[in-house]
Amino acid sequence: MKKTILVSVTALAALFTNFSGKPKDEPDPEPKSVKAVSISFSGAFALYPLVQTWAAEYNKIHPEIRFDIQAGGAGKGLTDCLSGSVDVGMFSRELSDAEKAKGVWTLALCRDAVIPTYNAKNANSKSIQIRGVKKAEFNSIFVDKSITTWESLLGINTKSPHKINVYTRADAAGAADSWAAFFGKKQENLKGIGVSGDPGVADAVRKDLNAIGYNNTLFVYDAASGKKLPGIDVVPIDVNGNGTIDADENFYGNLRQFLKAVNDGKYPSPPARNLYFITKGKTQKKEILDFFKWVLTDGQKYVGIAGYVQLPKNAVADQLKKLSK
C-alpha cells in the first residue's frame, strides 16, 4: 500500500514539473540576466521635466534601460549631441540652416511656450494685468531699451518711477531664441542681466520687485496644481495691440487655461514652439529607436499630464513615418 501511494505522489509531482525539474509556477532562482543599456540626454530645460516623466514610465516596462538626463540649455544639448558626449539632445527651437548642414536629425515631440514674467509684488501689478504689453513694447524693453521704467510703459505720471530691470539667459537657450523671435530678433539681440538656466531667471525675477524676464511654461506654473509658482506672475501679451487685455487674451489664470490657449493658437507662436529630440544623424541604436517610438505612441498620454501640449495627430503620424524610414 505504501509503495502504491509513493508512486502516485511521484506521478502527481511530475505533472507540475517542467523539463528542468522545477515546478512550473516556481520562479527561476537564477533568472537569465538582461544586459543594461544606457541612454544619455542633455539640453533644453523646457523638455527636461517631460523626459524625466517619460523615462520613469518607460522604466516600468523596460527596467533594463538606464536613463541619464541632464538639463543645461538647448545650446548645450546641440553641442553635446554633435560631439557625441550624449546620445540625444533635448532641443527647444527650430534648427538654423547651418545646424541642419551639420547633419542634425530631429524628432518633434510636443509643444510648449515661453512666457514673459515679472515679480508678483510689482507696485504696478494691477495696471500690468489690465493693460498688458504689446509686441513692439517688449522689443523696446528687451532690445532697444527705449522703455526703461514701468511707469513710462504703463503711461503713469510719477516723480518716483521704478526702473525696469531686465533679465535674460546667459547660456545659449531655446527659450531666449524663441522669445526674441516673437519680435523678430535673435538671442544675441536681447539686452539685460544675463543669468544661466531657466531656474536662474525665475529666481532673479522672484527676488527683484522691478524685474522682467521670460521663462518656459513649467518654470511659471506648477504642473501638479496648475497654479502659478510663488513670487512670479505673467506679463499678459496684448496680442491685438489695442491697449487692453481683452477676454480672449486673458488666459493666464492657471496652467490648463494657458495650455488650451497655446493649443488653440490664441497665444502667439513664437514664443509658442515645438520641442524636439535631436541626434547626430539618425541613430541606429535599437534601444533609442524603441524609446522614440514609445514616446510618439503610448508616451503621448503623459504629455498633457506633465504640462505640455500634444502635437496634432497628423503631425505625430508624420514623425512616426520619419522614424520608420
Side-chain angles (χ1 to χ4, degrees):
M1 183 65 179
K2 288 182 179 179
K3 184 177 179 180
T4 303
I5 292 174
L6 178 61
V7 170
S8 299
V9 169
T10 301
L12 186 62
L15 291 174
F16 294 94
T17 304
N18 61 23
F19 66 91
S20 64
K22 297 189 295 291
K24 286 183 177 178
D25 295 332
E26 181 179 313
D28 190 337
E30 296 180 355
K32 187 178 181 180
S33 61
V34 177
K35 185 179 179 182
V37 176
S38 296
I39 305 177
S40 55
F41 299 75
S42 82
F45 283 93
L47 196 49
Y48 178 70
L50 180 55
V51 177
Q52 283 189 311
T53 297
W54 276 334
E57 294 299 328
Y58 195 69
N59 267 158
K60 292 177 182 176
I61 51 177
H62 290 283
E64 75 280 10
I65 303 296
R66 294 177 180 172
F67 290 97
D68 177 9
I69 308 163
Q70 304 291 330
K76 178 170 172 47
L78 177 62
T79 300
D80 288 349
C81 171
L82 290 174
S83 69
S85 58
V86 298
D87 296 306
V88 183
M90 301 180 291
F91 209 63
S92 54
R93 62 169 172 80
E94 299 302 319
L95 285 170
S96 68
D97 290 340
E99 290 163 347
K100 290 176 183 175
K102 294 177 181 176
V104 180
W105 186 86
T106 64
L107 192 70
L109 309 165
C110 60
R111 287 177 67 75
D112 86 332
V114 180
I115 306 172
T117 53
Y118 73 107
N119 188 293
K121 293 183 179 177
N122 186 298
N124 294 294
S125 184
K126 187 174 180 180
S127 296
I128 294 169
Q129 292 298 316
I130 293 173
R131 181 189 179 279
V133 177
K134 302 171 187 174
K135 180 191 291 190
E137 292 170 335
F138 281 120
N139 185 73
S140 297
I141 295 169
F142 281 90
V143 178
D144 65 34
K145 305 290 281 185
S146 58
I147 295 176
T148 58
T149 72
W150 286 102
E151 286 76 12
S152 61
L153 169 68
L154 300 168
I156 299 172
N157 291 320
T158 178
K159 294 180 179 178
S160 303
H162 297 84
K163 181 184 176 186
I164 300 176
N165 296 325
V166 180
Y167 291 90
T168 187
R169 291 283 289 273
D171 52 313
D177 221 54
S178 298
W179 176 238
F182 174 48
F183 30 87
K185 297 291 192 282
K186 299 282 188 183
Q187 178 176 359
E188 53 266 32
N189 300 125
L190 298 177
K191 298 182 175 121
I193 303 167
V195 183
S196 292
D198 236 328
V201 173
D203 283 347
V205 171
R206 199 172 281 118
K207 292 174 181 174
D208 185 341
L209 290 175
N210 295 311
I212 191 169
Y214 53 86
N215 283 99
N216 292 308
T217 306
L218 293 184
F219 290 86
V220 180
Y221 294 97
D222 180 82
S225 68
K227 297 179 181 178
K228 292 172 195 164
L229 293 167
I232 200 165
D233 209 337
V234 176
V235 181
I237 297 178
D238 181 8
V239 177
N240 62 16
N242 68 350
T244 189
I245 295 299
D246 298 323
D248 62 352
E249 296 171 323
N250 188 11
F251 39 68
Y252 302 98
N254 58 60
L255 178 60
R256 298 303 160 201
Q257 197 177 0
F258 177 69
L259 293 180
K260 186 175 187 307
V262 173
N263 186 62
D264 294 346
K266 290 185 177 180
Y267 190 76
S269 177
R273 70 306 171 58
N274 286 350
L275 300 177
Y276 299 90
F277 282 152
I278 58 173
T279 56
K280 186 179 181 182
K282 184 181 175 184
T283 182
Q284 299 302 309
K285 195 171 178 178
K286 180 180 181 304
E287 291 81 4
I288 297 178
L289 294 172
D290 288 346
F291 177 64
F292 285 177
K293 184 176 180 180
W294 178 87
V295 161
L296 291 172
T297 52
D298 293 348
Q300 286 293 297
K301 63 188 171 191
Y302 302 105
V303 169
I305 296 170
Y308 298 77
V309 175
Q310 281 188 290
L311 294 176
K313 288 183 179 179
N314 61 338
V316 173
D318 288 344
Q319 297 307 299
L320 284 167
K321 286 180 185 175
K322 185 177 183 180
L323 193 58
S324 65
K325 288 181 179 176

